[in-house]
Structure formats: structure tokens, C-alpha cells
Amino acid sequence: MTDRLATYHREADAGGWRRAASEQAMRVALGRAVVGGTVDRVEVGPSGAVRVVDLKTGSRKPTKDDLARHGQLGAYQLAVEAGAFAEHGTGSGGAALLQLGRAANKTTTLQVQIPLADDPVDPGWARELLERTAEGMAAATFTALPAREVCGTCQVKDSCPAQPEGRRL
Ligand code: SF4
């Protein structure tokens, strides 16, 4: 795993993606939502655009279609544009998952979600998703919506009404 990470560092450097920060805390208001946490890696690309990279060590990785609408990566991009990493820049250069575990291929697998502004179908999808999520979570009740990528490792699956095991409760 450390070999893969070292390989990625060389690949990123060669591609002009400079490491700007590691384990950087952030907190930013996006409409009704407050997005906060610690991101694994912040990079600045050749054009000055900022990209958040999330390091993954699992054995599964999202499909190409899931990646295009990956909510966490979309939220990172919105956070960049809202100034969460203003010391590095406020233009989004996309966001990415760096697979370092069994989900990686022989060396590394960087799964890149393109910049929101470049989305050919719907550049506003991430903001709409965030607004919908914030509204839903502010309501008295909200509906569990299964998602292939996250349900498998969800810690409350046994009590989730959207899952067969949870429906028995
Ligand atoms: S198992 Fe239920 S609560 Fe967990 S991620 Fe899936 S839908 Fe959401």
C-alpha cells in the first residue's frame, strides 16, 4: 500500500499535481448545509485548480457511472468553490478517489470526477443533491435511499428499513 502511495506521488508530480496539504481540516457553509471534516490530500494542478483526493484502502471501487455522481466527491468540489481551501485556490479541478487497497490495479488507480462546471449533462447536480440532502435531514423524518457503494459497509444496515434485515424490526 505504501508502495502504491509512493508511486502515486511520483505520478501526480509528473502530471503537474502538486501536494498542497495532507489531512487538512475544513468547514464551510453550503446553503443550509455545513460541510466539515478532514480531507486526505489537497492538490493544486498545472492551471491552479484545486483537487481533493480521498485515499481508499478497501477492495471495492465505484463504477464509472457511480463516480460521475459520487456525492462525497461532489461535496468536496462545492467546498473548494466555496473557499474551504482558499489558501490554495477556489477553482475546482475535480475530485478523486485514490485506490490503494485491493481495489487498485497493479500500481495505483486514481478515479477522477471531472470538475462540476465541465459536467456535460448537469453541472448543477452536486448542489442539487446537497440541497435535497440538507432539506431531507432537516425534516422530522427522512427516507433511507440505498446506494450500492455505501450500503455494503453501512454500520446501521441491520436496522435500515431499506434493507431486508432492517425490515424485520
Ligand atoms: S443501509 Fe440504509 S442507512 Fe445504510 S447507507 Fe444503505 S440506505 Fe443508508
Side-chain angles (χ1 to χ4, degrees):
M1 212 173 286
T2 50
D3 285 352
R4 284 180 178 144
L5 187 56
T7 300
Y8 175 69
H9 287 163
R10 287 194 295 276
E11 291 169 349
D13 286 344
W17 288 94
R18 165 179 68 80
R19 185 184 69 81
S22 297
E23 296 291 319
Q24 178 160 354
M26 63 116 174
R27 187 174 177 82
V28 67
L30 295 167
R32 293 183 67 183
V34 175
V35 176
T38 303
V39 300
D40 293 329
R41 177 179 164 100
V42 181
E43 301 177 334
V44 178
S47 68
V50 176
R51 179 166 82 181
V52 173
V53 179
D54 196 19
L55 275 50
K56 309 301 276 186
T57 57
S59 56
R60 293 185 188 182
K61 59 176 184 270
T63 64
K64 193 176 167 196
D65 287 348
D66 289 342
L67 185 71
R69 292 294 180 267
H70 193 286
Q72 184 181 358
L73 296 183
Y76 286 152
Q77 293 208 57
L78 292 173
V80 167
E81 292 172 350
F85 310 98
E87 65 271 43
H88 309 306
T90 56
S92 175
L97 304 174
L98 176 60
Q99 302 291 347
L100 297 171
R102 281 175 37 211
N105 290 330
K106 277 185 186 162
T107 55
T108 61
T109 298
L110 184 71
Q111 296 187 286
V112 179
Q113 183 181 74
I114 62 171
L116 296 174
D118 296 344
D119 191 288
V121 179
D122 180 9
W125 71 267
R127 187 163 297 279
E128 285 158 23
L129 175 62
L130 191 75
E131 284 170 3
R132 265 203 323 274
T133 305
E135 271 174 33
M137 296 195 75
T141 61
F142 55 88
T143 306
L145 297 172
R148 192 174 16 174
E149 194 209 337
V150 291
C151 290
T153 54
C154 176
Q155 295 187 355
V156 296
K157 191 174 178 186
D158 289 347
S159 56
C160 173
Q163 302 293 341
E165 48 273 64
R167 266 182 235 129
R168 288 197 298 262
L169 295 179

